[in-house]
């Protein structure tokens, strides 16, 4: 398995995923274990997105501070070189700390187990689930409490390496959007129950164009991809493509959310305009 970008290892790789390490990867590992770069993600203490900085600066060993894995290999003293390899790259649990640049006391921690030429993610705070759930809180406005729980469950499962089950919950969200549109169309007498009996999902979507978010209508194949994942793909394949399908569902929900906000704004301004008219009508 190819080694991913550091940001993916920190924020998207589920617990207990194992990566094989080869000789050519040791420079990558050195930079990872001593990470000092910056990554943006949600800070659970600030309650907002923030920039986190790697707080894993190299500590001198016997007055030597290599800046890269290659620097260790340049040490001529074989015994000292081996000591440096062990000190900076030895097997065991590796704790990598990222510090919030808003408040230095806000710490994100990541734990990896490096042993027998393999790297395994064994822990992190904040969790992947927590990072993702904060992002979807706005959808409470457009989903029922049960649907919102299902969206959370689907996202939470991926953080534990469960792919197929996560697709089940995303598909239920998609189906519920269609059922809501069917119900509304029948209420408005545009269609009847009979119009939707015995027809496939794509055909239902075609009938409901004016009742559905545009992105859903234009990307109706999302439903088929979710179904394919449930019935045909492996866990790893489902996990690989879950982020794409999640964003697809989020774009659909974004349209509904924007419509709700627009309606709330219209009601608010109408109320204020009425108040103004009442105030000035006698002047």
């Amino acid at each position: 398995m190819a080694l991913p970008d550091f940001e993916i290892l920190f924020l998207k790789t589920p617990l207990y995923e194992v990566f094989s390490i080869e000789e050519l990867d040791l420079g990558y590992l050195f930079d990872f274990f001593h990470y000092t770069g910056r990554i943006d993600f949600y800070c659970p203490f600030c309650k907002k997105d923030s920039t986190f900085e790697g707080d894993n600066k190299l500590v001198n060993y016997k007055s030597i501070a290599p800046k890269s894995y290659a620097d260790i290999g340049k040490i001529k003293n074989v015994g000292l070189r081996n000591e440096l390899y062990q000190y900076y790259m030895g097997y065991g649990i590796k704790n990598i700390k990222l510090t919030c640049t808003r408040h230095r006391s806000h710490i994100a921690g990541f734990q990896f187990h490096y042993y027998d030429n393999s790297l395994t993610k064994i822990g992190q705070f904040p969790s992947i689930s927590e990072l993702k759930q904060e992002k979807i809180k706005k959808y409470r406005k457009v989903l029922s409490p049960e649907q919102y729980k299902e969206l959370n469950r689907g996202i939470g499962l991926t953080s534990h390496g469960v792919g197929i089950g996560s697709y089940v919950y995303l598909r239920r969200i998609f189906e519920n959007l269609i059922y809501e549109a069917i119900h509304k169309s029948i209420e408005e007498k545009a269609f009847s129950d009979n119009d939707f009996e015995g027809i496939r999902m794509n055909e239902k979507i075609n009938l409901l164009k004016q009742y559905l978010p545009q992105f859903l209508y234009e990307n109706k194949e999302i439903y088929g991809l979710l179904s394919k994942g449930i019935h045909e793909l492996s866990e790893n394949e489902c996990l690989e493509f879950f982020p794409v399908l999640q964003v697809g569902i989020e774009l659909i929900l974004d349209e509904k959310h924007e419509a709700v906000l627009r309606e709330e704004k219209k009601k608010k301004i109408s109320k204020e305009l009425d108040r103004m008219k009442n105030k000035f009508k006698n002047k």
Side-chain angles (χ1 to χ4, degrees):
M1 182 183 295
L3 294 171
D5 293 340
F6 294 163
E7 184 171 349
I8 292 176
L9 272 179
F10 288 132
L11 304 180
K12 296 182 180 180
T13 299
L15 296 183
Y16 307 112
E17 183 163 337
V18 181
F19 297 91
S20 296
I21 303 300
E22 300 177 2
E23 184 74 26
L24 292 174
D25 300 321
L26 295 179
Y28 167 102
L29 273 192
F30 182 92
D31 293 339
F32 183 61
F33 293 157
H34 308 289
Y35 181 76
T36 57
R38 290 189 165 198
I39 300 177
D40 294 331
F41 58 92
Y42 176 77
C43 177
F45 305 103
C46 295
K47 303 296 184 185
K48 62 177 69 175
D49 287 339
S50 186
T51 297
F52 281 76
E53 185 174 59
D55 190 8
N56 309 280
K57 293 180 181 178
L58 286 160
V59 178
N60 286 9
Y61 180 80
K62 293 187 175 180
S63 300
I64 298 173
K67 294 181 180 180
S68 69
Y69 181 76
D71 284 350
I72 299 177
K74 295 175 184 177
I75 303 295
K76 293 182 179 180
N77 184 313
V78 175
L80 178 59
R81 185 168 67 235
N82 289 336
E83 285 185 49
L84 288 169
Y85 280 137
Q86 180 61 35
Y87 184 77
Y88 291 111
M89 299 291 292
Y91 285 156
I93 294 176
K94 306 295 183 179
N95 294 298
I96 302 172
K97 184 170 72 171
L98 303 183
T99 301
C100 176
T101 55
R102 292 178 184 274
H103 298 281
R104 305 302 294 186
S105 61
H106 298 174
I107 305 297
F110 302 84
Q111 294 77 42
F112 290 81
H113 185 243
Y114 176 45
Y115 186 76
D116 197 22
N117 297 318
S118 67
L119 182 71
T120 306
K121 187 175 189 179
I122 60 173
Q124 76 171 79
F125 176 82
S127 68
I128 292 176
S129 179
E130 184 174 1
L131 293 173
K132 290 181 177 179
Q133 286 173 5
E134 185 61 32
K135 181 181 175 184
I136 66 169
K137 278 186 177 179
K138 62 182 179 180
Y139 300 132
R140 289 181 184 275
K141 283 182 174 285
V142 296
L143 294 173
S144 70
E146 185 58 33
Q147 290 169 1
Y148 183 74
K149 286 180 184 177
E150 290 178 346
L151 182 59
N152 264 324
R153 289 189 192 111
I155 292 171
L157 285 175
T158 62
S159 67
H160 295 286
V162 180
I164 296 171
S166 67
Y167 277 45
V168 172
Y169 286 110
L170 283 193
R171 190 173 73 165
R172 284 171 63 90
I173 298 295
F174 191 100
E175 288 172 338
N176 283 326
L177 293 170
I178 304 304
Y179 296 146
E180 288 174 4
I182 289 173
H183 181 70
K184 185 175 181 180
S185 73
I186 292 173
E187 274 189 341
E188 295 182 1
K189 302 190 183 303
F191 297 101
S192 68
D193 285 323
N194 293 334
D195 292 318
F196 298 100
E197 288 184 3
I199 65 173
R200 300 172 69 85
M201 182 61 77
N202 279 1
E203 295 171 312
K204 292 175 182 177
I205 292 172
N206 287 335
L207 288 177
L208 293 165
K209 180 177 181 180
Q210 70 185 88
Y211 293 94
L212 293 170
Q214 183 178 352
F215 187 84
L216 187 156
Y217 180 79
E218 293 176 350
N219 295 273
K220 58 179 75 73
E221 66 272 14
I222 288 175
Y223 183 79
L225 293 171
L226 288 168
S227 297
K228 186 177 182 68
I230 293 168
H231 298 296
E232 300 179 28
L233 300 185
S234 66
E235 289 282 7
N236 286 337
E237 287 172 325
C238 285
L239 288 171
E240 179 183 355
F241 295 110
F242 181 87
V244 177
L245 295 172
Q246 180 187 340
V247 171
I249 295 295
E250 288 178 359
L251 286 169
I252 293 168
L253 297 176
D254 282 341
E255 281 192 50
K256 290 177 68 68
H257 184 256
E258 288 165 11
V260 168
L261 293 181
R262 190 164 54 249
E263 191 60 32
E264 289 178 349
K265 189 178 290 187
K266 284 166 63 177
K267 289 180 179 178
K268 181 178 179 179
I269 197 64
S270 293
K271 184 177 179 180
E272 290 300 310
L273 289 171
D274 286 341
R275 187 176 68 84
M276 289 178 67
K277 286 188 289 186
N278 290 333
K279 183 174 182 177
F280 298 122
K281 68 181 179 180
N282 296 322
K283 289 188 178 183

